Amino acid sequence: MQYESVIGLEVHVQLNTESKIFCGCSTKFGAEPNSQTCPVCTGMPGVLPVLNEDVLNKGILAGLALNCEIAEYSKFDRKNYFYPDLPKAYQISQYDKPVCTKGYIDIMSDGKVKRIGITRLHLEEDAGKLVHSDDFTNNVSFVDLNRTGVPLAEIVSEPDMRTGEEAYNYLTKIKSIIKYINVSDANMEEGSLRCDVNISVREVGAPKFGEKVEVKNLNSFKAVKAAISYEYERQLSLIESGEKNLIVQETRLWDADRQETYSMRSKEDAHDYRYFPDPDLTPMVITREYVEKLRSELPELPDEKKNRFVSEFSLSDYDADVLTSVKQLADYFEETVQKGANPKKAANWITSELLGRIEDPEKISDFPVKPSGIAELLKLVDNNTISGKIAKTVFRDMIESGDAPQKIIDDKGLVQVSDSSAIEGIIDTVLAGNQQSVDDYKNGKEKAIGFLVGQIMKESKGKANPQVVNELLLKKLNK
Amino acid sequence: MKIDENDIIKVAKLARLDLTPDEKDEFSRQLSGIIEYVEKINELDTSSVEAADHIVELNNVVRKDIVEKSIDRDELKKIAPDFADGYIVVPKIIE
């Protein structure tokens, strides 16, 4: 029997506003504990929360970028639970009337485009941070309420994914889109992007889903992928051993050290949140004019940019995908082209030579070689001043010294030698010293020519024009 | 609608309240009385009235995204049950 996993993701992104969602406290990361709190976010009686309009705007922008319908009427609700990370004993969230619904994004799956539905995007406040003492004899926990009230958008997908790979690609795409529209830093390490996984296993094509499990505590996209594969195997082995009843609806936590999930809460403790409309916050009536005004502020999104790169610059799907995954990288590429580089060669150079040398493509503007430098370097290859191979050497030097390519070439005498007489001299020396290879070639071993070219290039310190070398060498050998 | 003891146990648990058997009995009666009283509203035909999410006829009350001064941590310290190194100290949380 063939089985498959059915996966849905809940992604929380922290919206990058200056102040919190319902009060004026700063959202700045890394402040002294409890230094960014006030009566509203610490849940004092009698206070009045007021919605930060930028939170609404950024939520709508994210919804538009995720192809969602924007509600004409939306409201906030209270989600009730006791936990010291929220002193009010409820979280202000959205229940039945979220800001955005029914969206989708397209991801790659097995080389094909697959559409993943987005059920909803809703706005809510974050909870505080609990710090647990390492000292187990110490029977206390520590609460920092700086994060309480920081704005979040929760993006819930349809259960449309079937593999860890699809989940990974979905997350990458969500992150890319969110960063393009600049509504969040979307940094998993800093907690501004968080993800929970819902996963069940069923026979391929079965009409119903299996019992689903929620997995939390996933701190990287890789962990999401690993947890999915672990859960699939765990549930599958229970199904195959006839213990399907042991798969229960529960929350499990991912243990990154052990690479496994463990049960956190069982069904009987399942939360009863008793949602009801928050009487302190007024409903939001969102006019179509307002939505269209926000829509007009949307920048070109990753998919649009990718399609344009393919049609305008004739890039391969793959190169266009890599270059548009991060906006700063796409901008760097376009500027390189604007400075006169051949688009395909620029794409090739950036993806194969440059990307391996930087840790974070978002910080490409800090890279010592600017787009104009790449454009100039590629032009020097195009007009045969240097060979492609020497260009790599020059590139390394540009990174270290920050000098212009022409200066490096002049200083180090790297100009390509295309002059036949100079090259002929080198060829003659090499042929004289490698009679065996010459004989091999003449006896039909065509491969020998590769060795000879290599020797000639080496003798010329890489400066000989490979095309001229090939031509002249063949001429001499076939004489 | 009658509120029985199971309802009371559930609600008490959600509200983290420990009730004595006498209290459970008393609250069952009291809450049943309240619910019955409020049920009178059901006599009205509200089929043509839209459900209200909010009782005040106000929409879109928002503020600008401007950082305002937070409170002095000492003020928070004063009202916290226990406070250390800038943190509010609570009984150990295990989940």
Side-chain angles (χ1 to χ4, degrees), chain A residues 153-368:
Chain A
E154 178 173 341
I155 302 162
V156 183
S157 85
E158 290 288 307
D160 286 348
M161 287 159 272
R162 296 290 173 270
T163 63
E165 186 72 34
E166 287 180 7
Y168 186 92
N169 292 347
Y170 171 85
L171 285 170
T172 310
K173 193 62 169 282
I174 290 276
K175 177 173 171 162
S176 170
I177 292 170
I178 291 297
K179 300 210 72 150
Y180 260 67
I181 60 174
N182 189 29
V183 299
S184 171
D185 300 334
N187 183 329
M188 220 164 178
E189 281 69 35
E190 283 177 18
S192 54
L193 186 152
R194 282 169 259 161
C195 173
D196 301 332
V197 173
N198 284 303
I199 172 170
S200 60
V201 174
R202 66 171 175 187
E203 261 176 60
V204 172
K208 277 190 167 177
F209 296 146
E211 199 74 48
K212 80 171 177 196
V213 161
E214 182 180 28
V215 185
K216 289 178 177 276
N217 197 36
L218 298 158
N219 53 13
S220 68
F221 288 4
K222 273 189 189 143
V224 170
K225 213 164 149 182
I228 287 171
S229 116
Y230 176 85
E231 265 305 305
Y232 174 69
E233 294 299 334
R234 187 186 73 85
Q235 295 181 25
L236 183 62
S237 70
L238 288 171
I239 292 169
E240 286 184 327
S241 63
E243 296 169 291
K244 201 172 169 180
N245 58 316
L246 293 182
I247 306 172
V248 291
Q249 196 177 334
E250 63 178 349
T251 299
R252 299 177 71 87
L253 295 183
W254 174 245
D255 183 331
D257 293 332
R258 296 179 164 191
Q259 293 282 300
E260 60 186 38
T261 65
Y262 61 95
S263 183
M264 169 182 159
R265 255 189 232 137
S266 64
K267 201 178 180 180
E268 50 264 47
D269 299 330
H271 283 150
D272 178 353
Y273 292 123
R274 292 151 292 143
Y275 283 97
F276 65 87
D278 192 309
D280 287 342
L281 290 154
T282 63
M284 293 158 275
V285 173
I286 306 161
T287 66
R288 298 305 92 180
E289 293 76 46
Y290 196 75
V291 173
E292 289 317 309
K293 191 183 151 279
L294 285 168
R295 194 193 300 276
S296 71
E297 289 171 17
L298 279 179
E300 184 181 39
L301 295 170
D303 280 353
E304 295 166 348
K305 205 181 274 290
K306 180 187 163 184
N307 292 337
R308 181 167 64 79
F309 279 13
V310 169
S311 63
E312 194 176 325
F313 302 128
S314 305
L315 300 189
S316 68
D317 262 3
Y318 178 80
D319 279 351
D321 208 39
V322 172
L323 290 172
T324 56
S325 61
V326 172
K327 185 168 181 293
Q328 289 86 341
L329 182 61
D331 291 345
Y332 187 97
F333 163 76
E334 276 206 272
E335 204 183 324
T336 307
V337 173
Q338 266 165 25
K339 300 280 180 193
N342 170 304
K344 283 184 112 159
K345 285 179 180 163
N348 198 20
W349 191 272
I350 291 170
T351 54
S352 59
E353 301 299 327
L354 194 157
L355 274 182
R357 296 173 189 275
I358 53 174
E359 268 186 36
D360 183 359
E362 283 170 28
K363 296 193 181 127
I364 195 167
S365 60
D366 297 342
F367 191 64

Side-chain angles (χ1 to χ4, degrees), chain A residues 17-21 23-25 32-37 44 50-54 73 75 82-84 97 131-132 139-143 265 272 274 277 279 281-285, chain B residues 10-11 13-16 51-54 56 58-73 76 79 82-95:
Chain A
T17 53
E18 298 293 321
S19 68
K20 292 186 178 180
I21 181 168
C23 65
C25 287
E32 287 286 300
N34 289 306
S35 60
Q36 294 166 358
T37 65
M44 294 300 144
V50 182
L51 177 65
N52 178 341
E53 67 176 350
D54 271 15
Y73 177 93
K75 69 175 168 73
F82 284 112
Y83 207 61
K97 287 170 184 165
V131 181
H132 302 285
N139 259 334
V140 293
S141 292
F142 301 93
V143 187
R265 255 189 232 137
D272 178 353
R274 292 151 292 143
L281 290 154
T282 63
M284 293 158 275
V285 173
Chain B
K10 189 187 172 198
V11 173
K13 193 182 169 199
L14 286 170
R16 302 293 188 274
D53 295 314
H54 208 268
V56 184
L58 264 180
N59 292 317
N60 302 347
V61 177
V62 293
R63 41 170 274 270
K64 297 262 173 227
D65 181 26
I66 293 166
V67 174
E68 285 156 43
K69 204 173 170 297
S70 292
I71 50 166
D72 194 332
R73 267 203 297 187
L76 194 62
I79 54 170
D82 196 2
F83 207 81
D85 302 328
Y87 290 95
I88 298 162
V89 183
V90 297
K92 193 172 184 66
I93 297 143
I94 359 154
E95 194 171 29

Side-chain angles (χ1 to χ4, degrees), chain A residues 385 387 390 412-418 457 460-466:
Chain A
T385 307
S387 68
I390 290 288
K412 303 209 165 164
L414 295 171
V415 173
Q416 178 162 262
V417 179
S418 303
M457 291 308 292
S460 78
K461 299 193 177 68
K463 289 191 281 181
N465 180 331

